[in-house]
Amino acid sequence: MIGLAATASYLPETWMTAAQIADASEIPESVVVEKFGLRGKHIAGDDEHVSDMSVAAAARLLAQNEVDPGEVDVVMYYGSLWKDYPVWQAAPWIAHRLGCEHAYGLEYANVSCGTPVALRLARNFLLAEPELRNILIVAASRESHLLDYGNERSRFMFNFGDGAVAALLAKDADRNLLLGSHGITDGSLSLQVKVPSGGSVSPNGGYRFLDVADPAAVEARLDDVTLANFRAAAEGALARSGATLADVSYLCGIHMKRSAHEGLVATLGLDPSRAAYLDDTGHMSGVDPLLALDRAARAGDVGEGDLVLLLAAGTGYTWAASVVRWGAA
């Protein structure tokens, strides 16, 4: 069996309050707090990149759990696509800085659906290759720096903050078992949310912040499919785990506006008090669900035998879920 042997997280020191977000965006503070569901978010320094934050989270994990970096078989980066440099892999640099001198560097760079898919890929990788013993997965996001608070088209992304997470997946585990995963993709909105320049279509100049081509079209389409796809991803992962929604003890999802979060919890039929809500961090691309799990575990909010659902969605659009049975097998 594959288990989560350890988790850790890192958040930058700078915290942007709801009042500061309101000042930058000219959105009333009450709307930021009540509708966006955001008390504030952490902001990476100008010289603090995804590799730096990934190293900080992973180094914390290794130190807290007395893991020898030389014993790590694979270091997999699965965080934000906006990394230190374009056309560049973060995983080898992260592994080198951690002292994981025998590790294979693997890159799964994705958007907000990152954590459940990374868990799925890492689990499958361990099952497929008998000689591998463990995989250190790391992710970070500093997409707050891609926000133009004067662009009303991108206002649903004004909750984007910065941070990092790490987890060690280990073979032959008897605790915190990683069970089934599932995902759904609808590519009809694939070109809607992006940084429109800097790639091969528009390599030079242009608008270098996150933008939405047609906000009304995005909202209308997502209103039609999001809750159903979230539920389908969750039910698919649970079915592969021999469970149903009625068995879920705790939800670790992504940060979204408060009404959307409440709608999701209701659609899944879960107890609202058993669903993490990251109103002090905002949304951090693929980081959110694993950060929520790390926090819940440290706070004692998940206990022996709890079935934890990690659920996320990312522009593209992909909805993904993974299931962990916390505690002893």
Side-chain angles (χ1 to χ4, degrees), residues 153 156 189 191-194 211-221:
R153 293 189 304 275
F156 82 90
L189 297 176
L191 297 180
Q192 284 284 349
V193 181
K194 60 186 180 297
D211 199 9
V212 183
D214 186 344
V218 173
E219 183 175 6
R221 178 61 180 159

Side-chain angles (χ1 to χ4, degrees), residues 161-183:
D162 306 331
V165 285
L168 184 68
L169 280 72
K171 195 174 283 185
D172 300 325
D174 59 4
R175 292 186 60 80
N176 307 336
L177 299 184
L178 179 56
L179 305 178
S181 300
H182 189 58

